[in-house]
Amino acid sequence: MSNPDTADSDGTSVPEYERVDVSVLVVGAGAAGARTAIELAERGVDDVLVLGKRNHGDAHTTWARGGINGALGTHDPDDSWAIHAADTLNEGHFVNEPQKVETVTRQMPDRLRELDDWGMDFSRTDDGEIDQRFFGAQSFRRTAFAGDHTGESMLETLVDRARELSVPYRENVLITKLLSDGDQCYGAVGFDMDSGEFVLVNAGTVVLAAGGYAAAYNRHTSRDDENNGDGPALAYDAGAELMDMEFVQFHPTGMAVDEDDPEWEPWSGRLVTEAVRGEGGHLYNTDGERFMERYSPDQMELDARDVVARAIAREIAEGRGTDNGGVSLDLSHRDRAFIRERLPRMYERFQELGVDMATEPVEVAPTAHYGMGGVAVDEHGETTVDGLFAIGETMAGVHGANRLGGNSLAETVAFGVVAGERIAERVDGAGHLPEAVVSDIAEPQFRDLATLAGRDGSHDVMDVFTELQDLLWEHAGILRTDASLRAGLDALDEVRRKAADMDVGPTTSSSFEFAIDIGFMLTAAEAVLRGALERTESRGAHYRTDETETDPDWQRNIYFERSDVGGMRTETRPVGTPSDAVQAALDEGHELDYHQLE
């Protein structure tokens, strides 16, 4: 259905737009969105539309390489969902929401078997079981994997399953605003990135599965055009709360490269999977020291990501880093055949760049990887706005102050099921889209988008984009202080001013897309800075050099809410209590002994 150009009562022209009516709109076509749609289809809800802003099957999920957690006990039968939950809470520094943690860990053995039944290409043990490897800070081998391309294999499996179920999908559509009056969500608006045409979706339920906000930093493991904060920013603008946005995970091992070399520069910050360390990789500084012996003599390279990232950052800051600002990650003590079998994508990537992982180390340095914060949701994934759900990296609550490797993919499929179940119980058609929502929210948004397209301005879009990324890295990176965070907020005002005066191309141009992304990133960046400033302690991935201790009184979550007066408002609330089973696992004190791997 298409709406031709019309005029408001004041004579203002409303651009033409396409209207679509569905029961459930899923924004984001990675693992979380795909698994939600599958659950809905399996429960008989066929009036669903999945929107992706990339080609089908090309979501950020494909970049998750190392594995997906679940207490199958393939190698370690003493493992259990409760110990998995205990490890998750421990490494989240106990600001995770315990119920959400338990939801994920209870489900994951079944979710892994389900993926296996659907044909996922898991690596196998000699007797044909799903293989599992060690990952940092986990007490047992519970990370199932498909070589070092787990996310890619998993998304292929989910997309194939969705196609079997005839789940409707539309690619290359970017949602720019949700249709919400602050109490109820009625759908969304955006534009087709191929044609430039505007789109309105009337939906009884909207699911945000649009990723996180790590690409708001200048060194990150995503592509520049994803994980820009779309999901959290859309939800915040719609009236939902955000939570714990200050907790940003800096993966210890992004690629450290010569950025003046055109062959290497595109790889700066890109992920060198934790599986390299899980399979026995050693970290060395330029003095030849295996320096994790100083920082974590028991768990070494397989300590939690925040610990290893800060250790590497310290080695570099104290002058023991490489010319490219990194340290060495060495797997050359492993056989070539082993590396090629267990880490095929990593081996091939570096081989193409002229580095042989079987005989020489690779250079790595910390890089922004994952936002533990996101949209605050209930136990079903629903926000405080009726009819609006958020799952996957878009939601908060599972990971606390530091995410375990392998838990991100786990969260996507676990909460995809949970949200799908809840929505299927309540689905009741596309619902009534109030005319006031169309005239007061949708059509002004279309006018704003039309005005933005082709706008003359003083600043280049990519210059503003890069300035914002640099700002977050400098002021809210691995090491934070009160002064740097306050300076960051001041600098953010200047970036916001420049963003209002950019030179933007037509709706089909990359500059138009990135101009939209900058708007999302400004919301995410402000929340990161404000949360990090308010949290006057160090906990997990949030490290304040002026507040280095963890404060028991700060075992609280920070919530962010849009206010009509004064902009972004924050408040804190205490965390919940683990179940008896999980508390018992915590009391047992399970812990990985790295040296059994040597």
Side-chain angles (χ1 to χ4, degrees), residues 64 66-71 83-92 96 100-101 104-105 108 135-138 142-144 154 249 274 305 369-370 392-393 398-400 402-415:
I68 175 172
N69 294 336
I83 300 172
H84 182 185
D87 285 350
T88 301
L89 290 169
N90 263 315
E91 296 312 319
N96 329 55
K100 292 185 174 63
V101 172
V104 172
T105 61
M108 283 316 300
F135 247 39
Q138 302 203 52
R142 71 166 67 95
T143 305
M154 178 170 142
Q249 183 168 84
E274 187 167 327
R305 288 176 172 179
H369 180 55
Y370 193 92
E393 193 175 351
V398 172
H399 309 296
N402 183 49
R403 177 175 66 79
L404 282 178
N407 267 1
S408 57
L409 292 181
E411 177 188 36
T412 62
V413 291
F415 265 91

Side-chain angles (χ1 to χ4, degrees), residues 20 105 117-118 137 157 159 167 176 198 224 245 253 277 321 342 360 369 371 377 384 386 419 481 506 524-525 569:
V20 179
T105 61
D117 289 343
W118 291 345
T157 302
V159 167
V167 172
T176 61
F198 299 137
D224 275 342
M245 293 288 286
T253 55
R277 288 176 289 127
R342 308 284 279 201
E360 55 191 317
H369 180 55
V377 297
T384 52
D386 287 346
T481 67
R569 185 181 63 177

Side-chain angles (χ1 to χ4, degrees), residues 139-169:
S139 301
F140 295 103
R141 288 169 286 186
R142 71 166 67 95
T143 305
F145 59 98
D148 61 352
H149 47 86
T150 308
E152 181 182 339
S153 295
M154 178 170 142
L155 186 58
E156 287 176 356
T157 302
L158 293 172
V159 167
D160 287 347
R161 179 62 179 161
R163 284 174 171 154
E164 288 175 7
L165 296 167
S166 300
V167 172
Y169 176 86

Side-chain angles (χ1 to χ4, degrees), residues 213 217 243-248 373 480 527-533 535 541-542 554 556-558 560:
Y213 51 98
Y217 286 82
M243 188 178 95
D244 290 347
M245 293 288 286
E246 69 275 19
F247 293 127
V248 179
R480 303 166 172 181
V528 170
L529 288 160
R530 291 195 183 281
L533 184 61
R535 186 173 288 278
H542 168 69
W554 259 113
R556 302 174 69 85
N557 302 116
I558 299 179
F560 306 81

Side-chain angles (χ1 to χ4, degrees), residues 117-333:
D117 289 343
W118 291 345
M120 183 167 166
D121 184 25
F122 281 113
S123 295
R124 302 282 175 177
T125 64
D126 290 342
D127 57 2
E129 297 296 320
I130 296 173
D131 204 354
Q132 297 190 280
R133 59 170 43 129
F134 284 108
F135 247 39
Q138 302 203 52
S139 301
F140 295 103
R141 288 169 286 186
R142 71 166 67 95
T143 305
F145 59 98
D148 61 352
H149 47 86
T150 308
E152 181 182 339
S153 295
M154 178 170 142
L155 186 58
E156 287 176 356
T157 302
L158 293 172
V159 167
D160 287 347
R161 179 62 179 161
R163 284 174 171 154
E164 288 175 7
L165 296 167
S166 300
V167 172
Y169 176 86
R170 184 165 170 178
E171 60 190 10
N172 299 321
V173 175
L174 178 57
I175 294 300
T176 61
K177 193 176 186 66
L178 299 182
L179 299 177
S180 167
D181 58 13
D183 297 317
Q184 176 77 37
C185 186
Y186 300 95
V189 295
F191 67 100
D192 186 304
M193 300 165 72
D194 291 330
S195 68
E197 296 176 348
F198 299 137
V199 180
L200 182 155
V201 182
N202 168 34
T205 302
V206 175
V207 181
L208 289 173
Y213 51 98
Y217 286 82
N218 66 358
R219 283 182 54 83
H220 58 85
T221 58
S222 309
R223 293 170 286 199
D224 275 342
D225 54 6
E226 61 192 6
N227 284 327
N228 305 113
D230 313 31
L234 288 166
Y236 176 81
D237 179 66
E241 294 178 320
L242 305 183
M243 188 178 95
D244 290 347
M245 293 288 286
E246 69 275 19
F247 293 127
V248 179
Q249 183 168 84
F250 297 91
H251 197 289
T253 55
M255 291 175 65
V257 305
D258 179 358
E259 297 190 3
D260 292 327
D261 185 330
E263 183 179 14
W264 283 88
E265 188 277 332
W267 293 101
S268 178
R270 295 301 186 260
L271 182 65
V272 178
T273 173
E274 187 167 327
V276 177
R277 288 176 289 127
E279 299 294 359
H282 298 166
L283 290 166
Y284 294 95
N285 61 25
T286 51
D287 292 338
E289 297 175 298
R290 193 173 168 197
F291 57 85
M292 285 309 299
E293 293 174 350
R294 277 200 298 278
Y295 300 98
S296 180
D298 293 328
Q299 294 181 312
M300 298 290 286
E301 287 86 359
L302 287 183
D303 206 333
R305 288 176 172 179
D306 60 319
V307 175
V308 181
R310 280 195 298 275
I312 294 173
R314 187 176 215 180
E315 292 297 306
I316 296 167
E318 294 180 358
R320 296 184 291 276
T322 65
D323 291 340
N324 292 325
V327 297
S328 296
L329 176 59
D330 189 13
L331 201 61
S332 62
H333 54 285

Side-chain angles (χ1 to χ4, degrees), residues 376-440:
V377 297
D378 68 10
E379 66 271 24
H380 306 290
E382 190 168 15
T383 73
T384 52
V385 177
D386 287 346
L388 177 60
F389 288 70
I391 59 170
E393 193 175 351
T394 300
M395 69 176 272
V398 172
H399 309 296
N402 183 49
R403 177 175 66 79
L404 282 178
N407 267 1
S408 57
L409 292 181
E411 177 188 36
T412 62
V413 291
F415 265 91
V417 171
V418 168
E421 288 175 345
R422 181 65 166 178
I423 295 165
E425 292 171 358
R426 302 182 347 186
V427 70
D428 188 25
H432 169 65
L433 178 61
E435 184 55 41
V437 171
V438 176
S439 61
D440 296 347

